[in-house]
Amino acid sequence: TACDERDAVVSGPVEMVEQLGADALVHVAHGKNTVIARVSHGTSPDVGSIFCVTADPARVFAFDAASGARLQ
């Protein structure tokens, strides 16, 4: 969920936005990693702008960058 920077779990510059129909994927640089947030259609921050994200920990999924395997 997009949020105010004070409430952010992750914030950083937008690298890319993928519009997928009902949803969009916002790729956010976070240190040397990239966080991909699924947001509602119509959310389209500018590339390079700072995007702040908060999330329900039960709905966060992490994946190994090399293998693509989901981390538990």
Side-chain angles (χ1 to χ4, degrees):
T1 308
C3 66
D4 185 282
E5 192 167 1
R6 295 173 302 209
D7 301 322
V9 174
V10 172
S11 64
V14 174
E15 296 179 323
M16 176 174 60
V17 179
E18 298 178 74
Q19 295 294 342
L20 302 176
D23 298 320
L25 299 179
V26 180
H27 296 243
V28 179
H30 184 67
K32 61 182 179 179
N33 299 306
T34 299
V35 174
I36 302 173
R38 187 175 75 185
V39 297
S40 300
H41 175 74
T43 302
S44 188
D46 293 330
V47 171
S49 68
I50 300 299
F51 193 73
C52 303
V53 179
T54 187
D56 174 355
R59 300 189 65 189
V60 173
F61 301 96
F63 298 87
D64 180 273
S67 70
R70 182 175 170 199
L71 303 173
Q72 298 294 326

